[in-house]
mmCIF file of all heavy atoms in Angstrom:
data_model
loop_
_atom_site.group_PDB
_atom_site.id
_atom_site.type_symbol
_atom_site.label_atom_id
_atom_site.label_comp_id
_atom_site.label_asym_id
_atom_site.label_seq_id
_atom_site.Cartn_x
_atom_site.Cartn_y
_atom_site.Cartn_z
ATOM 1 N N VAL L 26 69.373 -18.712 194.673
ATOM 2 C CA VAL L 26 68.304 -18.651 193.616
ATOM 3 C C VAL L 26 67.057 -19.292 194.006
ATOM 4 O O VAL L 26 65.923 -18.770 193.902
ATOM 5 C CB VAL L 26 68.863 -19.269 192.289
ATOM 6 C CG1 VAL L 26 67.741 -19.283 191.264
ATOM 7 C CG2 VAL L 26 70.100 -18.474 191.742
ATOM 8 N N LYS L 27 67.184 -20.492 194.665
ATOM 9 C CA LYS L 27 66.024 -21.169 195.146
ATOM 10 C C LYS L 27 65.218 -20.337 196.113
ATOM 11 O O LYS L 27 63.961 -20.364 196.141
ATOM 12 C CB LYS L 27 66.410 -22.512 195.817
ATOM 13 C CG LYS L 27 65.342 -23.464 196.121
ATOM 14 C CD LYS L 27 65.932 -24.680 196.790
ATOM 15 C CE LYS L 27 65.354 -25.883 196.084
ATOM 16 N NZ LYS L 27 65.900 -27.095 196.717
ATOM 17 N N ARG L 28 65.872 -19.497 197.008
ATOM 18 C CA ARG L 28 65.106 -18.644 197.995
ATOM 19 C C ARG L 28 64.520 -17.402 197.310
ATOM 20 O O ARG L 28 63.829 -16.625 197.932
ATOM 21 C CB ARG L 28 66.099 -18.313 199.049
ATOM 22 C CG ARG L 28 66.481 -19.431 200.039
ATOM 23 C CD ARG L 28 67.239 -18.910 201.255
ATOM 24 N NE ARG L 28 68.225 -17.961 200.958
ATOM 25 C CZ ARG L 28 69.547 -18.202 200.769
ATOM 26 N NH1 ARG L 28 69.977 -19.391 200.856
ATOM 27 N NH2 ARG L 28 70.392 -17.202 200.595
ATOM 28 N N GLY L 29 64.838 -17.144 195.970
ATOM 29 C CA GLY L 29 64.263 -16.006 195.280
ATOM 30 C C GLY L 29 65.175 -15.090 194.707
ATOM 31 O O GLY L 29 64.867 -14.053 194.072
ATOM 32 N N GLY L 30 66.500 -15.374 194.757
ATOM 33 C CA GLY L 30 67.479 -14.503 194.125
ATOM 34 C C GLY L 30 67.604 -14.760 192.696
ATOM 35 O O GLY L 30 67.020 -15.638 192.063
ATOM 36 N N GLY L 31 68.280 -13.800 191.989
ATOM 37 C CA GLY L 31 68.444 -13.898 190.502
ATOM 38 C C GLY L 31 69.943 -14.140 190.210
ATOM 39 O O GLY L 31 70.764 -13.623 190.903
ATOM 40 N N LEU L 32 70.199 -14.842 189.201
ATOM 41 C CA LEU L 32 71.629 -15.108 188.780
ATOM 42 C C LEU L 32 71.794 -14.835 187.270
ATOM 43 O O LEU L 32 71.052 -15.301 186.418
ATOM 44 C CB LEU L 32 71.975 -16.527 189.026
ATOM 45 C CG LEU L 32 73.389 -17.072 188.562
ATOM 46 C CD1 LEU L 32 74.461 -16.330 189.371
ATOM 47 C CD2 LEU L 32 73.546 -18.513 188.592
ATOM 48 N N LEU L 33 72.776 -14.000 186.951
ATOM 49 C CA LEU L 33 73.231 -13.767 185.620
ATOM 50 C C LEU L 33 74.563 -14.459 185.437
ATOM 51 O O LEU L 33 75.496 -14.036 186.213
ATOM 52 C CB LEU L 33 73.301 -12.374 185.253
ATOM 53 C CG LEU L 33 73.889 -11.998 183.852
ATOM 54 C CD1 LEU L 33 72.987 -12.449 182.720
ATOM 55 C CD2 LEU L 33 74.142 -10.418 183.726
ATOM 56 N N ILE L 34 74.731 -15.490 184.552
ATOM 57 C CA ILE L 34 75.932 -16.187 184.491
ATOM 58 C C ILE L 34 76.264 -16.423 183.015
ATOM 59 O O ILE L 34 75.462 -16.544 182.249
ATOM 60 C CB ILE L 34 75.830 -17.499 185.260
ATOM 61 C CG1 ILE L 34 77.210 -18.283 185.342
ATOM 62 C CG2 ILE L 34 74.758 -18.378 184.748
ATOM 63 C CD1 ILE L 34 77.145 -19.444 186.248
ATOM 64 N N GLY L 35 77.577 -16.215 182.708
ATOM 65 C CA GLY L 35 78.047 -16.399 181.363
ATOM 66 C C GLY L 35 79.364 -17.156 181.305
ATOM 67 O O GLY L 35 80.211 -17.037 182.146
ATOM 68 N N GLY L 36 79.477 -17.904 180.258
ATOM 69 C CA GLY L 36 80.657 -18.652 180.046
ATOM 70 C C GLY L 36 80.539 -19.390 178.734
ATOM 71 O O GLY L 36 79.540 -19.383 178.100
ATOM 72 N N GLN L 37 81.767 -19.994 178.356
ATOM 73 C CA GLN L 37 81.615 -20.856 177.075
ATOM 74 C C GLN L 37 82.499 -21.999 177.293
ATOM 75 O O GLN L 37 83.579 -22.028 177.841
ATOM 76 C CB GLN L 37 82.083 -19.964 175.821
ATOM 77 C CG GLN L 37 83.397 -19.216 175.894
ATOM 78 C CD GLN L 37 84.624 -20.015 175.635
ATOM 79 O OE1 GLN L 37 84.523 -21.117 175.093
ATOM 80 N NE2 GLN L 37 85.700 -19.514 176.053
ATOM 81 N N ALA L 38 81.931 -23.207 176.995
ATOM 82 C CA ALA L 38 82.591 -24.434 177.319
ATOM 83 C C ALA L 38 83.370 -25.056 176.226
ATOM 84 O O ALA L 38 84.133 -25.936 176.424
ATOM 85 C CB ALA L 38 81.458 -25.413 177.695
ATOM 86 N N TRP L 39 83.256 -24.583 175.027
ATOM 87 C CA TRP L 39 84.030 -25.221 173.949
ATOM 88 C C TRP L 39 85.568 -25.002 174.150
ATOM 89 O O TRP L 39 86.311 -25.977 173.959
ATOM 90 C CB TRP L 39 83.521 -24.748 172.541
ATOM 91 C CG TRP L 39 83.912 -23.346 172.208
ATOM 92 C CD1 TRP L 39 83.083 -22.265 172.378
ATOM 93 C CD2 TRP L 39 85.180 -22.862 171.746
ATOM 94 N NE1 TRP L 39 83.760 -21.132 171.991
ATOM 95 C CE2 TRP L 39 85.011 -21.396 171.641
ATOM 96 C CE3 TRP L 39 86.373 -23.437 171.408
ATOM 97 C CZ2 TRP L 39 86.097 -20.586 171.132
ATOM 98 C CZ3 TRP L 39 87.453 -22.567 170.952
ATOM 99 C CH2 TRP L 39 87.248 -21.184 170.857
ATOM 100 N N HIS L 40 85.962 -23.825 174.489
ATOM 101 C CA HIS L 40 87.372 -23.556 174.730
ATOM 102 C C HIS L 40 87.838 -24.230 175.977
ATOM 103 O O HIS L 40 88.897 -24.833 175.949
ATOM 104 C CB HIS L 40 87.639 -22.037 174.832
ATOM 105 C CG HIS L 40 89.060 -21.724 175.001
ATOM 106 N ND1 HIS L 40 89.673 -21.537 176.165
ATOM 107 C CD2 HIS L 40 90.043 -21.581 174.036
ATOM 108 C CE1 HIS L 40 90.983 -21.294 176.054
ATOM 109 N NE2 HIS L 40 91.220 -21.335 174.722
ATOM 110 N N TRP L 41 86.967 -24.170 177.095
ATOM 111 C CA TRP L 41 87.320 -24.903 178.244
ATOM 112 C C TRP L 41 87.551 -26.397 177.984
ATOM 113 O O TRP L 41 88.513 -26.975 178.436
ATOM 114 C CB TRP L 41 86.202 -24.701 179.371
ATOM 115 C CG TRP L 41 86.415 -25.456 180.577
ATOM 116 C CD1 TRP L 41 87.080 -25.063 181.699
ATOM 117 C CD2 TRP L 41 86.006 -26.848 180.877
ATOM 118 N NE1 TRP L 41 87.061 -26.058 182.587
ATOM 119 C CE2 TRP L 41 86.456 -27.152 182.156
ATOM 120 C CE3 TRP L 41 85.337 -27.813 180.048
ATOM 121 C CZ2 TRP L 41 86.207 -28.402 182.652
ATOM 122 C CZ3 TRP L 41 85.181 -29.030 180.676
ATOM 123 C CH2 TRP L 41 85.550 -29.311 181.987
ATOM 124 N N SER L 42 86.588 -26.996 177.217
ATOM 125 C CA SER L 42 86.681 -28.421 176.888
ATOM 126 C C SER L 42 87.973 -28.706 176.139
ATOM 127 O O SER L 42 88.687 -29.716 176.462
ATOM 128 C CB SER L 42 85.484 -28.834 176.051
ATOM 129 O OG SER L 42 85.569 -30.216 175.867
ATOM 130 N N SER L 43 88.298 -27.937 175.186
ATOM 131 C CA SER L 43 89.581 -28.185 174.408
ATOM 132 C C SER L 43 90.810 -27.908 175.229
ATOM 133 O O SER L 43 91.845 -28.610 174.999
ATOM 134 C CB SER L 43 89.658 -27.257 173.184
ATOM 135 O OG SER L 43 89.806 -25.924 173.504
ATOM 136 N N SER L 44 90.689 -27.126 176.324
ATOM 137 C CA SER L 44 91.900 -26.848 177.145
ATOM 138 C C SER L 44 92.021 -27.917 178.325
ATOM 139 O O SER L 44 92.931 -27.903 179.031
ATOM 140 C CB SER L 44 91.816 -25.470 177.796
ATOM 141 O OG SER L 44 91.780 -24.517 176.752
ATOM 142 N N ASN L 45 90.983 -28.667 178.424
ATOM 143 C CA ASN L 45 90.875 -29.683 179.508
ATOM 144 C C ASN L 45 90.835 -31.013 179.139
ATOM 145 O O ASN L 45 89.980 -31.929 179.484
ATOM 146 C CB ASN L 45 89.721 -29.328 180.537
ATOM 147 C CG ASN L 45 90.053 -28.101 181.385
ATOM 148 O OD1 ASN L 45 90.654 -28.188 182.458
ATOM 149 N ND2 ASN L 45 89.585 -26.970 180.917
ATOM 150 N N GLY L 46 91.602 -31.382 178.100
ATOM 151 C CA GLY L 46 91.710 -32.707 177.549
ATOM 152 C C GLY L 46 90.438 -33.234 176.927
ATOM 153 O O GLY L 46 90.161 -34.417 177.006
ATOM 154 N N LYS L 47 89.722 -32.359 176.268
ATOM 155 C CA LYS L 47 88.459 -32.733 175.510
ATOM 156 C C LYS L 47 87.475 -33.390 176.478
ATOM 157 O O LYS L 47 86.740 -34.235 176.081
ATOM 158 C CB LYS L 47 88.840 -33.639 174.354
ATOM 159 C CG LYS L 47 89.741 -33.111 173.302
ATOM 160 C CD LYS L 47 88.992 -32.146 172.421
ATOM 161 C CE LYS L 47 89.920 -31.786 171.224
ATOM 162 N NZ LYS L 47 89.366 -30.723 170.473
ATOM 163 N N GLN L 48 87.540 -32.958 177.701
ATOM 164 C CA GLN L 48 86.490 -33.514 178.617
ATOM 165 C C GLN L 48 85.134 -33.210 178.151
ATOM 166 O O GLN L 48 84.823 -32.147 177.502
ATOM 167 C CB GLN L 48 86.653 -32.909 180.053
ATOM 168 C CG GLN L 48 87.905 -33.284 180.773
ATOM 169 C CD GLN L 48 87.957 -32.832 182.149
ATOM 170 O OE1 GLN L 48 86.957 -32.946 182.866
ATOM 171 N NE2 GLN L 48 89.117 -32.240 182.533
ATOM 172 N N ASN L 49 84.194 -34.054 178.436
ATOM 173 C CA ASN L 49 82.785 -33.882 178.159
ATOM 174 C C ASN L 49 82.245 -32.591 178.900
ATOM 175 O O ASN L 49 82.110 -32.694 180.182
ATOM 176 C CB ASN L 49 81.965 -35.043 178.399
ATOM 177 C CG ASN L 49 80.475 -35.007 177.979
ATOM 178 O OD1 ASN L 49 79.938 -33.858 177.993
ATOM 179 N ND2 ASN L 49 79.908 -36.095 177.657
ATOM 180 N N ALA L 50 81.960 -31.555 178.203
ATOM 181 C CA ALA L 50 81.456 -30.363 178.889
ATOM 182 C C ALA L 50 80.199 -30.508 179.648
ATOM 183 O O ALA L 50 80.041 -29.927 180.763
ATOM 184 C CB ALA L 50 81.313 -29.209 177.867
ATOM 185 N N LEU L 51 79.308 -31.329 179.191
ATOM 186 C CA LEU L 51 78.022 -31.425 179.888
ATOM 187 C C LEU L 51 78.177 -32.009 181.254
ATOM 188 O O LEU L 51 77.519 -31.669 182.230
ATOM 189 C CB LEU L 51 77.093 -32.398 179.131
ATOM 190 C CG LEU L 51 76.511 -31.822 177.753
ATOM 191 C CD1 LEU L 51 75.604 -32.870 177.136
ATOM 192 C CD2 LEU L 51 75.723 -30.592 178.074
ATOM 193 N N HIS L 52 79.241 -32.810 181.471
ATOM 194 C CA HIS L 52 79.454 -33.388 182.760
ATOM 195 C C HIS L 52 80.513 -32.770 183.638
ATOM 196 O O HIS L 52 80.499 -32.825 184.886
ATOM 197 C CB HIS L 52 79.813 -34.903 182.622
ATOM 198 C CG HIS L 52 78.807 -35.717 181.910
ATOM 199 N ND1 HIS L 52 77.552 -35.962 182.496
ATOM 200 C CD2 HIS L 52 78.684 -36.299 180.636
ATOM 201 C CE1 HIS L 52 76.728 -36.677 181.641
ATOM 202 N NE2 HIS L 52 77.545 -36.834 180.516
ATOM 203 N N ALA L 53 81.498 -32.161 182.982
ATOM 204 C CA ALA L 53 82.701 -31.663 183.718
ATOM 205 C C ALA L 53 82.831 -30.124 183.782
ATOM 206 O O ALA L 53 83.484 -29.598 184.617
ATOM 207 C CB ALA L 53 83.959 -32.245 183.086
ATOM 208 N N TYR L 54 82.131 -29.373 182.861
ATOM 209 C CA TYR L 54 82.258 -27.981 182.858
ATOM 210 C C TYR L 54 81.732 -27.381 184.085
ATOM 211 O O TYR L 54 80.542 -27.643 184.600
ATOM 212 C CB TYR L 54 81.539 -27.373 181.653
ATOM 213 C CG TYR L 54 81.664 -25.865 181.519
ATOM 214 C CD1 TYR L 54 82.873 -25.305 181.306
ATOM 215 C CD2 TYR L 54 80.623 -25.040 181.644
ATOM 216 C CE1 TYR L 54 83.050 -23.899 181.155
ATOM 217 C CE2 TYR L 54 80.749 -23.609 181.501
ATOM 218 C CZ TYR L 54 81.964 -23.105 181.240
ATOM 219 O OH TYR L 54 82.093 -21.734 181.146
ATOM 220 N N PRO L 55 82.430 -26.551 184.920
ATOM 221 C CA PRO L 55 82.052 -26.048 186.171
ATOM 222 C C PRO L 55 80.758 -25.365 186.217
ATOM 223 O O PRO L 55 79.877 -25.548 187.073
ATOM 224 C CB PRO L 55 83.111 -25.027 186.550
ATOM 225 C CG PRO L 55 84.386 -25.571 185.873
ATOM 226 C CD PRO L 55 83.836 -26.098 184.604
ATOM 227 N N GLY L 56 80.404 -24.526 185.170
ATOM 228 C CA GLY L 56 79.135 -23.824 185.161
ATOM 229 C C GLY L 56 77.930 -24.745 185.027
ATOM 230 O O GLY L 56 76.807 -24.343 185.525
ATOM 231 N N ASN L 57 78.073 -25.904 184.471
ATOM 232 C CA ASN L 57 76.963 -26.830 184.351
ATOM 233 C C ASN L 57 76.503 -27.405 185.743
ATOM 234 O O ASN L 57 75.369 -27.725 185.884
ATOM 235 C CB ASN L 57 77.245 -27.974 183.339
ATOM 236 C CG ASN L 57 77.165 -27.527 181.887
ATOM 237 O OD1 ASN L 57 76.507 -26.523 181.678
ATOM 238 N ND2 ASN L 57 77.823 -28.136 181.106
ATOM 239 N N ARG L 58 77.461 -27.360 186.672
ATOM 240 C CA ARG L 58 77.050 -27.812 188.069
ATOM 241 C C ARG L 58 76.101 -26.752 188.692
ATOM 242 O O ARG L 58 75.328 -27.076 189.569
ATOM 243 C CB ARG L 58 78.276 -27.969 188.870
ATOM 244 C CG ARG L 58 79.131 -29.139 188.348
ATOM 245 C CD ARG L 58 80.285 -29.469 189.279
ATOM 246 N NE ARG L 58 81.081 -30.535 188.752
ATOM 247 C CZ ARG L 58 82.204 -30.345 188.043
ATOM 248 N NH1 ARG L 58 82.793 -29.155 187.995
ATOM 249 N NH2 ARG L 58 82.945 -31.381 187.658
ATOM 250 N N ILE L 59 76.257 -25.529 188.210
ATOM 251 C CA ILE L 59 75.336 -24.393 188.693
ATOM 252 C C ILE L 59 74.028 -24.352 187.876
ATOM 253 O O ILE L 59 72.971 -24.311 188.485
ATOM 254 C CB ILE L 59 76.080 -23.093 188.621
ATOM 255 C CG1 ILE L 59 77.304 -23.084 189.536
ATOM 256 C CG2 ILE L 59 75.174 -21.891 189.052
ATOM 257 C CD1 ILE L 59 78.288 -21.919 189.285
ATOM 258 N N THR L 60 74.112 -24.381 186.613
ATOM 259 C CA THR L 60 72.956 -24.190 185.790
ATOM 260 C C THR L 60 72.161 -25.402 185.392
ATOM 261 O O THR L 60 70.972 -25.412 185.065
ATOM 262 C CB THR L 60 73.393 -23.454 184.419
ATOM 263 O OG1 THR L 60 74.177 -24.313 183.658
ATOM 264 C CG2 THR L 60 74.004 -22.114 184.707
ATOM 265 N N GLY L 61 72.836 -26.530 185.471
ATOM 266 C CA GLY L 61 72.216 -27.789 185.045
ATOM 267 C C GLY L 61 70.929 -28.170 185.778
ATOM 268 O O GLY L 61 69.967 -28.674 185.126
ATOM 269 N N LEU L 62 70.819 -27.831 187.050
ATOM 270 C CA LEU L 62 69.646 -28.151 187.752
ATOM 271 C C LEU L 62 68.399 -27.344 187.367
ATOM 272 O O LEU L 62 67.301 -27.676 187.508
ATOM 273 C CB LEU L 62 69.752 -27.861 189.290
ATOM 274 C CG LEU L 62 70.557 -28.884 190.056
ATOM 275 C CD1 LEU L 62 70.728 -28.558 191.533
ATOM 276 C CD2 LEU L 62 69.994 -30.311 189.917
ATOM 277 N N THR L 63 68.684 -26.252 186.596
ATOM 278 C CA THR L 63 67.573 -25.435 186.032
ATOM 279 C C THR L 63 67.270 -25.815 184.555
ATOM 280 O O THR L 63 66.366 -25.212 184.008
ATOM 281 C CB THR L 63 67.969 -23.947 186.019
ATOM 282 O OG1 THR L 63 69.002 -23.648 185.045
ATOM 283 C CG2 THR L 63 68.457 -23.463 187.379
ATOM 284 N N GLY L 64 67.986 -26.811 184.010
ATOM 285 C CA GLY L 64 67.751 -27.254 182.758
ATOM 286 C C GLY L 64 68.560 -26.562 181.582
ATOM 287 O O GLY L 64 68.203 -26.780 180.422
ATOM 288 N N ILE L 65 69.558 -25.785 181.960
ATOM 289 C CA ILE L 65 70.363 -25.125 181.036
ATOM 290 C C ILE L 65 71.804 -25.666 181.086
ATOM 291 O O ILE L 65 72.378 -25.613 182.214
ATOM 292 C CB ILE L 65 70.421 -23.534 181.224
ATOM 293 C CG1 ILE L 65 68.949 -22.966 181.091
ATOM 294 C CG2 ILE L 65 71.294 -22.950 180.146
ATOM 295 C CD1 ILE L 65 68.914 -21.551 181.497
ATOM 296 N N TYR L 66 72.343 -25.991 179.928
ATOM 297 C CA TYR L 66 73.756 -26.618 179.941
ATOM 298 C C TYR L 66 74.666 -25.923 178.916
ATOM 299 O O TYR L 66 74.186 -25.678 177.794
ATOM 300 C CB TYR L 66 73.708 -28.134 179.598
ATOM 301 C CG TYR L 66 73.034 -29.014 180.646
ATOM 302 C CD1 TYR L 66 71.567 -29.122 180.538
ATOM 303 C CD2 TYR L 66 73.684 -29.569 181.643
ATOM 304 C CE1 TYR L 66 70.910 -29.848 181.513
ATOM 305 C CE2 TYR L 66 73.025 -30.324 182.599
ATOM 306 C CZ TYR L 66 71.601 -30.443 182.557
ATOM 307 O OH TYR L 66 71.009 -31.264 183.405
ATOM 308 N N PHE L 67 75.853 -25.565 179.311
ATOM 309 C CA PHE L 67 76.858 -25.163 178.361
ATOM 310 C C PHE L 67 77.355 -26.353 177.628
ATOM 311 O O PHE L 67 77.647 -27.453 178.302
ATOM 312 C CB PHE L 67 77.944 -24.425 179.101
ATOM 313 C CG PHE L 67 77.612 -23.243 179.908
ATOM 314 C CD1 PHE L 67 77.162 -23.297 181.265
ATOM 315 C CD2 PHE L 67 77.701 -21.957 179.347
ATOM 316 C CE1 PHE L 67 76.844 -22.230 181.973
ATOM 317 C CE2 PHE L 67 77.363 -20.827 180.034
ATOM 318 C CZ PHE L 67 76.928 -20.945 181.436
#
């Protein structure tokens, strides 16, 4: 993406969070490691 590519990404963290011991989605949800640097968080 940084070099100029585009990314379409989808997911939902509420179910993931409930299935992973109520982990904090902002810090632990895998998609946030990808989208977080752009300012978007699941």
Side-chain angles (χ1 to χ4, degrees):
V26 175
K27 192 179 227 182
R28 290 190 316 264
L32 176 68
L33 175 65
I34 186 169
Q37 49 85 16
W39 69 264
H40 184 265
W41 176 91
S42 183
S43 66
S44 300
N45 286 275
K47 301 277 187 194
Q48 290 187 48
N49 183 329
L51 290 179
H52 300 293
Y54 182 64
N57 284 336
R58 295 186 184 103
I59 298 168
T60 64
L62 285 178
T63 71
I65 303 173
Y66 295 87
F67 298 90

